[in-house]
Amino acid sequence: MTIPVSPSAGAPPVASSARPKSVLPAKGPTLEERPGVIEIDFANGVRVRVDAFVNEKALRRVAAALGT
């Protein structure tokens, strides 16, 4: 449903000089800068790097999806 909107007769147009905000999140520390980083090399050649904050259930699902 579209509702037409017209500007108020008494309101002048407004120009904005504001820059659009970035849609990307702010950069955090790199994986190497995080505590407890480990690399896991699977037999099929896939390498997974995780840090101390890895979700164990998610890591198990990844390992299962890789067929290990």
Side-chain angles (χ1 to χ4, degrees), residues 7-15:
S8 171
V14 177

Side-chain angles (χ1 to χ4, degrees), residues 40-48 63 66-68:
I40 304 166
D41 291 320
F42 291 97
N44 62 1
V46 174
R47 176 178 293 158
V48 176
L66 293 171
T68 60

